[in-house]
Amino acid sequence: LDQDIITYMQETIPECGITNSAIEIDFEDQSSDNTNRFTATPMESIPFQYRGGFVGYLGYEVRHDTRNSMCNHEICPTSDENSLAGGEQLGVNPQVPTAGFLFADRSLVYDHWRDEWYLIAVEEYSEVINGESSQSIQWMKNTAKNLTAMVPIPPSESRRVADTESKLSFAMRRSKEEYAADIARCHKEIKNGESYELCLTNQLSTLVEFPNESSSSPLQLYKILRKNNPAPFAAFLSFNNSRTRRRNVDDTPCLSSFSICCSSPERFLSVNHDVEDLAENGEDHGWEFAPPFSSYDISDSPKYIVETKPIKGTVSRIIANKGDPNFKEKIEEDQRVARKLQKSEKNRAENLMIVDLLRNDLSRVCEPGSVHVPKLMGIESFATVHQMVSTIRGLVDPKYTPIDIIAASFPGGSMTGAPKLRSVDILDDLELGNSRGPYSGCLGYFSLNGAMDMNIVIRTAVVAPERNSQSDNNWEVSIGAGGAITALSDSDDEFDEMLLKASAILKSVQEWHDNVGSK
């Protein structure tokens, strides 16, 4: 590109409000008159915001582009001239670009709560109404037929691997001793008043080799990760990463070939229309200001609400399995662990600082007085960890688009620290100028109706074919993990927390290696 990614997206991705209605198709009508098969239905009848659009991710290094946008709102340098490391980012896998999106004009959406499938196709409205476009309709009919013909596949059981079998070796980019030294440096920067909180990260990597006759695929890893660490913002994204798609039509290698296996529990940003529904749940319980939503005449013009849900504070759960003679005691101990997290002075300080940072980020693109915190430091429990989560919302100023909101807020404050720009510069130096890749960025969609939903890319494995290898069955796997460093942080505890956050992914990669490689 001859321009930065954010500017390119602002000029390329359509503005909010393009799609005003959806088309409902009667698959049972066998009439030859296409116009009799369609009825226009309001979008509100579909129980989700997505209407087709751009699906993909922004890697952490997009921060270089969003910095200029943030500095348009603040008094600060509009370049990385204050970055202590400076120069080109190191540790970049050339197969994994800084950002990647695809335009989804055909989508299958599954509602887990209702056990329902939805088919979404993007077409010119006039063409669909006049029956001039048959490809989308035919795709819907064929796909609906295939969906109704599907039969459940029994879940495959993972093979238990003996301790004597091959164990993968994961290399850390910076050793425990180096990580401890970095934490000491963080304490020094905090003491000197340069930052309140620094979100230090590390990278773990390994090479997963399979026999040539096995049929390995990153999708298999994602299925295992989804089982081991189910999460509300999990995602699998793959670009040219199957054996048949690593070369272009002219037989030249694809420049990008990788998969993102993500089990993120954290929402970065969402934008949607449900102002009235959210207003009903907008109670506050302290210093947070809840705006008078009822004062807005929503019928006059479409209103969008933006939400972010930062996570700061993580502890391991006590797992109680049914049939365990100590089942009740473990349940009670697990609850005590959650309550201890809720009362932790260090974790509450971490969370509060990021909440304040994100309130500031959203204030750049929201209507004055509308940014509020309906949920502060709540505890959310996942398969392996308890986490402290807050929710911040605001009404989007009509002159801003979802891309503008990203530009004003990226990277997510939970992955940088506070104040954001200075903390990012310090972290760049501490992490030796190494690229974080997709980790610490965001992944999700920009819908054509102006809605958006993006996660924070954590609890994630980035999988790419081994470089300069003759085998199609060797994979480079990279896992990012880290934690927030404050004045109260202990280096041993922080190192253990970093490994805890990576543990479910490490276990899943090992399981992928053992189960696929043994077949």
Side-chain angles (χ1 to χ4, degrees):
L1 295 177
D2 58 358
Q3 58 190 163
D4 68 78
I5 291 171
I6 293 299
T7 302
Y8 176 80
M9 294 176 71
Q10 287 170 327
E11 296 177 356
T12 304
I13 296 181
E15 294 184 358
C16 301
I18 287 182
T19 308
N20 296 314
S21 62
I23 301 299
E24 185 180 82
I25 302 175
D26 181 5
F27 292 109
E28 302 300 324
D29 186 353
Q30 300 301 316
S31 160
S32 60
D33 182 4
N34 286 339
T35 58
N36 293 334
R37 302 186 191 182
F38 308 105
T39 55
T41 59
M43 288 192 125
E44 289 73 16
S45 65
I46 302 176
F48 50 84
Q49 295 288 321
Y50 175 74
R51 300 294 186 270
F54 293 86
V55 179
Y57 76 97
L58 296 171
Y60 178 75
E61 304 313 326
V62 173
R63 64 189 173 87
H64 295 287
D65 298 335
T66 58
R67 184 187 187 102
N68 291 342
S69 177
M70 289 186 213
C71 288
N72 288 333
H73 296 272
E74 312 282 351
I75 301 175
C76 62
T78 57
S79 68
D80 282 315
E81 60 190 35
N82 282 356
S83 177
L84 301 179
E88 185 177 351
Q89 293 295 143
L90 305 175
V92 176
N93 186 333
Q95 300 179 98
V96 183
T98 304
F101 280 84
L102 56 85
F103 181 69
D105 59 349
R106 305 285 187 274
S107 305
L108 284 78
V109 179
Y110 180 65
D111 187 330
H112 291 266
W113 291 105
R114 305 186 186 195
D115 191 24
E116 293 177 341
W117 283 98
Y118 295 83
L119 308 180
I120 297 177
V122 177
E123 291 284 357
E124 289 288 340
Y125 185 82
S126 59
E127 292 181 1
V128 177
I129 288 296
N130 295 328
E132 297 173 4
S133 178
S134 61
Q135 291 185 353
S136 294
I137 305 307
Q138 194 59 49
W139 171 80
M140 285 185 165
K141 293 176 69 174
N142 292 340
T143 304
K145 183 178 179 181
N146 292 334
L147 286 173
T148 55
M150 286 195 310
V151 295
I153 299 175
S156 59
E157 294 187 4
S158 298
R159 186 176 67 89
R160 291 293 178 185
V161 182
D163 293 338
T164 56
E165 296 197 34
S166 172
K167 294 297 181 183
L168 294 173
S169 175
F170 289 86
M172 284 191 292
R173 180 173 284 171
R174 302 194 313 288
S175 68
K176 181 176 182 179
E177 292 73 21
E178 291 171 320
Y179 202 71
D182 291 340
I183 293 172
R185 166 74 184 280
C186 289
H187 283 149
K188 180 180 178 181
E189 298 290 352
I190 292 169
K191 183 178 180 180
N192 291 340
E194 295 292 332
S195 178
Y196 304 109
E197 176 177 358
L198 290 159
C199 298
L200 186 67
T201 73
N202 207 349
Q203 291 275 345
L204 299 92
S205 60
T206 190
L207 177 65
V208 183
E209 299 177 289
F210 294 106
N212 287 329
E213 63 273 12
S214 66
S215 55
S216 64
S217 162
L219 180 59
Q220 296 164 327
L221 170 58
Y222 175 69
K223 290 179 179 179
I224 295 170
L225 181 59
R226 185 182 177 89
K227 176 197 68 177
N228 290 342
N229 195 48
F233 301 103
F236 177 73
L237 192 61
S238 189
F239 287 86
N240 305 317
N241 209 17
S242 66
R243 294 186 182 188
T244 59
R245 295 196 61 189
R246 291 186 197 164
R247 305 192 74 82
N248 297 311
V249 292
D250 60 358
D251 203 36
T252 58
C254 293
L255 293 178
S256 299
S257 183
F258 66 101
S259 299
I260 299 175
C261 304
C262 176
S263 60
S264 174
E266 182 172 359
R267 166 175 280 156
F268 174 37
L269 289 167
S270 71
V271 175
N272 62 58
H273 300 278
D274 294 338
V275 177
E276 290 177 310
D277 292 341
L278 288 170
E280 295 175 0
N281 300 316
E283 305 90 353
D284 64 285
H285 52 270
W287 54 266
E288 311 92 348
F289 171 70
F293 286 99
S294 58
S295 69
Y296 293 96
D297 187 352
I298 298 171
S299 63
D300 287 349
S301 61
K303 289 285 183 181
Y304 294 83
I305 192 162
V306 58
E307 176 183 272
T308 182
K309 292 174 67 71
I311 293 175
K312 271 288 162 271
T314 302
V315 294
S316 182
R317 295 196 63 178
I318 305 298
I319 306 300
N321 298 313
K322 291 184 178 179
D324 189 324
N326 298 319
F327 179 79
K328 183 178 179 181
E329 290 79 4
K330 287 186 175 180
I331 290 292
E332 292 174 350
E333 178 62 23
D334 188 53
Q335 293 172 347
R336 281 194 291 272
V337 168
R339 289 195 296 270
K340 183 178 179 181
L341 174 62
Q342 177 81 72
K343 297 177 181 179
S344 166
E345 180 183 6
K346 171 185 176 293
N347 288 299
R348 291 178 69 85
E350 287 182 17
N351 198 286
L352 183 59
M353 284 188 277
I354 298 305
V355 167
D356 201 39
L357 171 65
L358 292 174
R359 289 169 66 229
N360 180 67
D361 285 351
L362 294 190
S363 70
R364 298 176 179 135
V365 290
C366 288
E367 295 187 356
S370 71
V371 177
H372 64 295
V373 184
K375 181 180 179 183
L376 181 66
M377 302 182 195
I379 300 300
E380 295 185 7
S381 300
F382 300 89
T384 58
V385 296
H386 296 296
Q387 300 199 295
M388 187 180 289
V389 186
S390 294
T391 302
I392 305 102
R393 293 182 186 141
L395 286 174
V396 180
D397 188 314
K399 66 175 174 283
Y400 293 117
T401 69
I403 305 298
D404 297 325
I405 297 171
I406 291 283
S409 308
F410 186 92
S414 63
M415 301 308 297
T416 62
K420 181 180 286 185
L421 295 179
R422 181 60 182 138
S423 296
V424 165
D425 289 342
I426 295 171
L427 290 168
D428 196 25
D429 185 53
L430 286 169
E431 296 175 9
L432 307 178
N434 282 295
S435 169
R436 293 186 183 181
Y439 171 68
S440 297
C442 63
L443 184 157
Y445 67 78
F446 295 98
S447 177
L448 293 180
N449 64 339
M452 172 183 74
D453 208 351
M454 289 282 176
N455 72 9
I456 293 283
V457 181
I458 53 177
R459 317 293 195 272
T460 295
V462 178
V463 185
E466 182 186 13
R467 284 166 276 186
N468 305 317
S469 173
Q470 299 301 313
S471 173
D472 287 334
N473 254 358
N474 295 345
W475 304 93
E476 297 179 11
V477 180
S478 175
I479 300 164
I485 310 302
T486 69
L488 298 177
S489 293
D490 174 82
S491 61
D492 288 337
D493 291 344
E494 292 296 340
F495 185 80
D496 291 343
E497 181 178 329
M498 182 266 292
L499 293 180
L500 169 64
K501 291 174 178 177
S503 61
I505 305 95
L506 298 174
K507 174 185 175 184
S508 299
V509 174
Q510 180 70 60
E511 192 173 327
W512 178 44
H513 169 264
D514 294 336
N515 285 295
V516 177
S518 65
K519 295 178 181 177

